[in-house]
Amino acid sequence: MNKIGLLLCSMLAAAAPVSAQMHESIRLNEVMTNNTASLQDEYGHCGAWIEIANISHTTYNIRGMYITTDRSVLDKDMSVPERIKRMSVIPSGDERTNLTARQHLVFYLNSNPARGVLHLNAPVDSLSAVWFALYDGNGVDLVDSVTVPVMAANHSFARQTDGVGEWEEKPEDAVTPNISNYITIRESKIAKLKREDPHGYGITVLAMGIVFFCLALLFVFFYLFGLFMRKRHAMAKIQPLKMGVKTVEKTVEIGHKTGVVLQDGLKSKGIDKEIYIAVIAMALKQYQDDVHDVESGVITIKHHQTEWNSEYNQIKQFHD
């Protein structure tokens, strides 16, 4: 008998940490009490719903747990059977209640359990604040709870992050059933614009400012482009004039050089200076070739008449 008691105590002690761990892992995550056109069940019906999330990295089966909207179950003097009567049990027999790591599951409220495992008969009044609670399978341990205020149609009340953080009301375009609560905006951009600029003055000024800014850019562009084209056109007109001036300058320079040559020719009796230089060079070459002998150490200079500077020969050249 003592062995059996010891075994039971050991099993209870082992089950206590597992139950506590489950309490930390299974959380109410998102609720919608006034659903008119948001999430539909498999029958096409729109009704209140609540989402449960497994925020751990371990698989947990939530079958046998209870969901309730009746605050009277908080009475500690209430018996367990009486408390369970005021709760909606999550039935077994469906693999979807076996929540894997980071998984979400939505249950439809105000419904008939005969429609399926995900349909619970917990009552929800969309015209007043509603208290939601998730109880363990023993009907005694409160796992999680939240009070949802009255909200606009198709708005949800959700945690900022899955299973943790503060609760906040989310607009219709930010509702996230069966997925993570990754959207944290409180209102849509259109709603925010309507709230901050109800008469449209700001958006009008912004639009007109953009238009006038673009027109100013176009004006500056075409003004600078016009200056560039006018300057280029003026340079095209000046270029032929410069070419003509250069041609005249070149002609004058050639004429001046021609005059100098002619003047030098008259002074030298019609013979150019270059001819004189060539004649002198040829005379020196002939002198070196014909006069110098090949005797070693002896230099012999013989006079040789070339008549290269004879005025008779020069005059005769002009007569020929």
Side-chain angles (χ1 to χ4, degrees):
M1 185 66 180
N2 293 334
K3 292 183 179 180
I4 296 176
L6 182 61
L7 180 61
L8 291 175
C9 292
S10 301
M11 292 177 62
L12 291 175
V18 174
S19 178
Q21 187 178 6
M22 177 180 289
H23 292 175
E24 296 296 329
S25 302
I26 305 301
R27 286 285 181 250
L28 299 178
N29 201 48
E30 189 170 7
V31 183
M32 179 177 290
T33 58
N34 189 6
N35 179 16
T36 60
S38 180
L39 183 64
Q40 295 182 354
D41 60 17
E42 59 269 37
Y43 299 96
H45 174 70
C46 293
W49 53 267
I50 187 169
E51 180 188 69
I52 297 177
N54 176 13
I55 63 174
S56 71
H57 296 279
T58 307
T59 299
Y60 288 103
N61 200 324
I62 61 174
R63 68 177 183 270
M65 299 181 72
Y66 296 94
I67 293 178
T68 183
T69 58
D70 192 343
R71 277 184 174 273
S72 64
V73 299
L74 293 174
D75 186 1
K76 295 182 179 180
D77 297 330
M78 184 179 294
S79 64
V80 174
E82 183 64 27
R83 184 180 290 113
I84 290 176
K85 288 180 181 179
R86 305 184 185 194
M87 298 178 180
S88 298
V89 64
I90 299 176
S92 59
D94 195 314
E95 185 61 28
R96 287 175 292 180
T97 61
N98 195 30
L99 298 183
T100 58
R102 319 301 295 182
Q103 187 180 353
H104 307 76
L105 186 62
V106 169
F107 291 92
Y108 303 100
L109 308 179
N110 275 342
S111 185
N112 186 355
R115 291 186 172 183
V117 174
L118 303 182
H119 292 262
L120 306 177
N121 58 2
V124 175
D125 184 5
S126 62
L127 301 180
S128 61
V130 182
W131 177 74
F132 292 86
L134 176 66
Y135 274 82
D136 198 1
N138 57 17
V140 177
D141 297 328
L142 179 62
V143 178
D144 196 10
S145 65
V146 63
T147 299
V148 179
V150 179
M151 296 183 298
N154 303 313
H155 284 213
S156 72
F157 200 60
R159 294 183 186 270
Q160 294 179 354
T161 307
D162 282 350
V164 295
E166 298 295 328
W167 289 78
E168 63 180 6
E169 183 176 352
K170 291 189 174 183
E172 184 176 357
D173 58 351
V175 176
T176 56
N178 282 320
I179 59 176
S180 299
N181 297 344
Y182 60 89
I183 301 177
T184 59
I185 60 174
R186 297 180 179 273
E187 59 183 348
S188 63
K189 293 182 179 179
I190 297 176
K192 183 178 180 180
L193 182 61
K194 288 181 179 179
R195 176 175 57 80
E196 295 180 350
D197 187 22
H199 302 289
Y201 297 141
I203 192 67
T204 301
V205 172
L206 179 62
M208 295 303 295
I210 293 174
V211 171
F212 282 112
F213 178 74
C214 294
L215 291 176
L217 287 180
L218 289 175
F219 170 78
V220 172
F221 171 76
F222 284 111
Y223 177 77
L224 296 177
F225 183 73
L227 290 178
F228 172 75
M229 294 303 295
R230 285 196 295 270
K231 185 175 181 180
R232 185 174 180 180
H233 185 65
M235 292 178 62
K237 289 183 177 180
I238 294 174
Q239 192 67 21
L241 180 61
K242 288 184 177 180
M243 293 178 63
V245 172
K246 289 184 179 180
T247 302
V248 172
E249 291 178 352
K250 194 68 175 178
T251 303
V252 172
E253 181 182 355
I254 294 174
H256 176 71
K257 291 182 177 180
T258 304
V260 171
V261 171
L262 291 175
Q263 290 178 4
D264 291 343
L266 292 175
K267 290 179 181 180
S268 59
K269 298 180 181 182
I271 300 176
D272 190 70
K273 293 179 180 179
E274 294 181 357
I275 297 176
Y276 281 112
I277 295 172
V279 171
I280 294 172
M282 291 177 63
L284 292 174
K285 183 70 169 68
Q286 185 177 7
Y287 175 78
Q288 291 177 353
D289 294 340
D290 299 337
V291 177
H292 192 280
D293 56 11
V294 296
E295 296 178 1
S296 175
V298 179
I299 298 177
T300 303
I301 298 176
K302 294 180 180 181
H303 179 73
H304 182 72
Q305 182 66 33
T306 61
E307 297 182 356
W308 61 271
N309 58 347
S310 174
E311 293 184 358
Y312 172 77
N313 291 333
Q314 296 177 7
I315 296 174
K316 182 180 180 183
Q317 181 181 358
F318 283 109
H319 285 288
D320 293 341

